[in-house]
Amino acid sequence: MAEPSGITNLDRRDPFADVMEEQEDGVQKEDIHIRIQQRNGRKTLTTIQGISQSYDLKRIIKAVKKEFHCNGTVVDHPEYGEVLQLQGDQRKNVKDFLSAIGIARVEQIKVHGF
């Protein structure tokens, strides 16, 4: 019987291995950046960037809005990808929330601003 003609594409590979390898114990590898932006007057926006695409951002923003009684949305940024925006200064609240539900460890969350 003849050997296969150099086809290496037949290796068994788990298509979800990279997702599982990224989420050891449900924690992502990359850092999450939380920033504050000044709007007009005393109004501010809190932006959260760097949450893995394997998480449902709309469900996260819904839970954050309900927990902190503020409005928020998911915005598609051309450079950073999908970014969460919240009304007001929610930096400390979001940092505690993300580490409490296990999306990222405390040392992975970087808080910027002021």
Side-chain angles (χ1 to χ4, degrees), residues 5-85:
S5 60
I7 299 175
T8 59
N9 200 10
L10 299 176
D11 296 336
R12 294 188 59 95
R13 188 177 83 79
D14 185 11
F16 302 108
D18 54 345
V19 174
M20 295 310 288
E21 152 184 317
E22 177 178 313
Q23 296 179 356
E24 58 184 46
D25 301 327
V27 177
Q28 67 177 26
K29 287 184 179 180
E30 296 94 21
D31 290 340
I32 295 176
H33 298 276
I34 302 174
R35 296 181 175 89
I36 190 165
Q37 295 178 353
Q38 187 72 35
R39 285 184 39 215
N40 49 356
R42 294 175 32 192
K43 308 286 183 183
T44 57
L45 276 179
T46 303
T47 59
I48 302 113
Q49 176 251 323
I51 297 178
S52 175
Q53 295 297 321
S54 60
Y55 294 108
D56 186 7
L57 297 181
K58 296 217 183 266
R59 290 185 72 191
I60 293 173
I61 198 74
K62 185 176 180 181
V64 168
K65 286 166 51 172
K66 192 170 189 174
E67 179 78 21
F68 305 129
H69 308 289
C70 65
N71 198 7
T73 186
V74 179
V75 177
D76 193 22
H77 193 273
E79 185 178 349
Y80 301 125
E82 289 187 321
V83 176
L84 305 179
Q85 281 188 347

Side-chain angles (χ1 to χ4, degrees), residues 32 34 94-95 98-99 104-111:
I32 295 176
I34 302 174
V94 170
K95 179 179 179 181
L98 292 177
S99 62
R105 293 185 297 274
V106 176
E107 59 269 6
Q108 288 179 306
I109 302 173
K110 310 293 185 208
V111 179

